[in-house]
Amino acid sequence: MAAPFLFAHTRNQSSESQDPSNPASPAFKDNFDSTLNTYLASIMNTPMQSQYRNYPGQSNQRSPHASAARRGPGPMISSSNPQPIHTAAQMQAQQASDAQKLELAKRRSRKPTDKNIPEGVEAVILGDGVQTYKDLREVERRLDAAMMRKRLDIQDSVNRNVKRYKTLRIWISNTAENQPWQARGLDENAFDFSTGMEGSYKVKIEGRLLDDVDDDKSDSDSEDDEGGQDGEQEKDKNTMETDGGDVTDTTSKIPGPKRRKKLSHFFKSMRVDFDHSKSLQPDPATQIEWKKPPVQPNNPNPPPEADFDSLEFERKSDENLNCTINLVRDENPERYRLSKELAAVLDTDEEARAGVVMGIWDYVKALGLQEDEDKRSARCDERLRAIFKQDHVFFPHIPDLVLPHLSALPPLKLPYTIRVDPSHHLSPTPTIYDILVPLDDPLRSQMLAVTNNPTYPTTLRSLSTLDDQLAVLIQAIAHSKAKHNFFTHMGRDPATFMGRWKSSQKRDQEVFMGEATRGGGEDGQGEEFRRGGKRGVWGTEPVRESVALWLSRSR
């Protein structure tokens, strides 16, 4: 078969030897060799480029942040942020730190955590210690669950920030000095009847909670009742101390007075505006204002400028004046005055932002305006449409949509007339105002003391240490129980037990060495596999279930 082909090729060689497109021609071979050599030379001499295909018309682009000196492959490292070079000491310290972390992780992994008594221990010890321990563990579990539940309840109560309202009573009074009717020793024959002194007045603004006033009265009454007995009690106490008895001074154990709220704690600023007559020209200043300095919230020790019960000021005048005392409330969280539309929905004129959002949510739930498909939106009825100006409202947008309907609360205005006439000062009577002020729930401070107790972390660490010690003891008991089982079974039938133990050790060794034929050395040659009957391996329940399953599959 090859001869005709060779003959044909020889016959046509002279005519096709000069055709470059013929693969058998010398011209084609020279062409191919030169092209191959050129390609190989370009590959050997050209530096390695990116693996992305460079299509025609696509120029090589480089990030403007790349370094101009960068060549070839590798990570792009900016020259402006060079990698830090660690010294040998730093590298050794880092390696030591990593080794210490690894060792701590190994210790944690090896640390026992089981605190349950192993099964069967109660049968080999005397007494009911095991049952008592189990009862204690059950009590501990219930106590931990109750403490966690109570702690969560306390945190929820603290976060709700419930307010209680009390009455703040404000007394406003004034005294007069150097008034014309107070002058003494005027010369009746003198032409000038002036005293040479300008009349002045002093105004005092004092505020106390009614509970504090009642407490002060009760304390003063009790002091008066016990005043006659203080000397005898103190004398007896000193006598007993000198006699060397076991009497200790309990005055150091009496807790200090509870810190109470003062007038300055309830207001941001106080401003006094005077109503001056055109004929009067007292002081150039027509306003008296006090502003609270910046104070950290819940600061137990505010500065003296923001911690007082009374405010006093003095001015010069010899005639009665009308003034208005403006009190700007300081509340946390801050309350706002609501618009008419929003007040119609919430049924109140003043509320905080969180209360406004919660009130709208309650209104939507009560009227069933929540969308069925999208629970985050609600339909607007006439009242809500008057507030949001739309037919549907998205719940996350409500805090921003209600901002135009919130305005700052107006200051409390307390009118007062400064009296300098003698008829008033013969029997002066202060002007009294009662104001409702919000106070934190008295239990909130106690709850915060429970949740933020500084000794709590120390107690947790001590409990964790005791748990670790308990787990170590339980592990030791488990080891002792295993030894007891080992020697007990060996004492009953030493030959059979040692045979089983050697077979078990052999299987474990095969597993460790990787020589096990079926994962655990269970090749059917052990003693338990040769024994028949119900006490053998083949009479156990798992084997019967496996055989039944295999037979059902084969069918």
Side-chain angles (χ1 to χ4, degrees), residues 91-373:
M91 295 180 64
Q92 291 179 358
Q94 182 67 24
Q95 292 176 359
S97 176
D98 295 342
Q100 184 179 6
K101 291 180 180 179
L102 181 60
E103 183 64 25
L104 291 176
K106 290 181 179 179
R107 290 181 182 179
R108 286 194 297 268
S109 63
R110 292 193 298 263
K111 185 171 64 174
T113 58
D114 189 11
K115 295 186 286 293
N116 296 320
I117 291 288
E119 295 294 335
V121 175
E122 61 273 8
V124 296
I125 66 173
L126 300 176
D128 57 348
V130 176
Q131 186 61 36
T132 303
Y133 177 80
K134 291 182 178 179
D135 295 341
L136 289 176
R137 287 282 297 165
E138 181 65 19
V139 171
E140 181 186 13
R141 185 186 64 80
R142 294 181 180 178
L143 183 60
D144 290 342
M147 292 177 61
M148 181 58 65
R149 184 173 64 254
K150 292 297 182 182
R151 190 174 183 84
L152 294 177
D153 293 342
I154 289 174
Q155 292 178 353
D156 184 53
S157 300
V158 169
N159 294 333
R160 278 202 302 265
N161 198 8
V162 180
K163 296 290 184 179
R164 297 179 61 185
Y165 285 86
K166 287 189 177 183
T167 302
L168 175 67
R169 177 158 292 180
I170 297 179
W171 293 270
I172 307 176
S173 60
N174 72 280
T175 58
E177 296 179 359
N178 301 325
Q179 298 296 327
W181 55 270
Q182 293 176 328
R184 295 291 184 272
L186 293 178
D187 187 4
E188 297 179 356
N189 298 324
F191 179 77
D192 187 6
F193 294 98
S194 63
T195 60
M197 295 182 295
E198 297 185 24
S200 62
Y201 60 86
K202 182 182 294 183
V203 179
K204 181 178 181 180
I205 306 172
E206 184 178 3
R208 298 283 293 273
L209 292 173
L210 288 185
D211 294 345
D212 297 339
V213 175
D214 298 338
D215 295 340
D216 293 343
K217 290 182 179 179
S218 61
D219 293 342
S220 61
D221 295 339
S222 61
E223 289 176 1
D224 294 338
D225 295 338
E226 298 175 0
Q229 302 176 1
D230 290 343
E232 296 180 1
Q233 292 179 356
E234 186 175 358
K235 181 179 179 180
D236 295 340
K237 176 181 175 182
N238 296 333
T239 304
M240 295 176 70
E241 287 178 353
T242 55
D243 290 342
D246 295 336
V247 179
T248 57
D249 186 7
T250 58
T251 56
S252 60
K253 299 181 181 180
I254 299 176
K258 181 180 66 175
R259 185 170 184 83
R260 59 181 180 83
K261 286 282 189 177
K262 297 186 178 181
L263 175 66
S264 58
H265 298 169
F266 297 102
F267 303 104
K268 294 180 181 179
S269 64
M270 303 180 189
R271 190 181 71 251
V272 181
D273 296 331
F274 294 95
D275 298 336
H276 286 292
S277 176
K278 294 182 180 180
S279 61
L280 299 177
Q281 295 181 359
D283 292 341
T286 59
Q287 258 188 15
I288 297 175
E289 187 174 9
W290 167 84
K291 289 186 177 180
K292 181 184 293 186
V295 179
Q296 295 293 333
N298 300 325
N299 186 8
N301 297 315
E305 298 83 4
D307 189 28
F308 56 84
D309 276 326
S310 62
L311 178 66
E312 297 182 1
F313 63 90
E314 184 178 1
R315 288 293 183 271
K316 296 179 180 180
S317 178
D318 55 1
E319 293 189 11
N320 297 338
L321 291 175
N322 294 327
C323 65
T324 302
I325 302 173
N326 301 279
L327 305 177
V328 180
R329 286 168 281 194
D330 185 10
E331 300 178 0
N332 186 22
E334 186 176 0
R335 291 188 302 152
Y336 298 90
R337 179 175 290 277
L338 309 182
S339 63
K340 295 181 179 180
E341 296 82 3
L342 189 56
V345 173
L346 301 182
D347 195 19
T348 183
D349 295 331
E350 300 175 358
E351 189 56 79
R353 290 186 62 183
V356 170
V357 176
M358 186 58 63
I360 294 176
W361 166 252
D362 294 338
Y363 180 83
V364 170
K365 293 291 289 183
L367 298 183
L369 300 177
Q370 191 175 11
E371 293 286 356
D372 296 332
E373 297 180 357

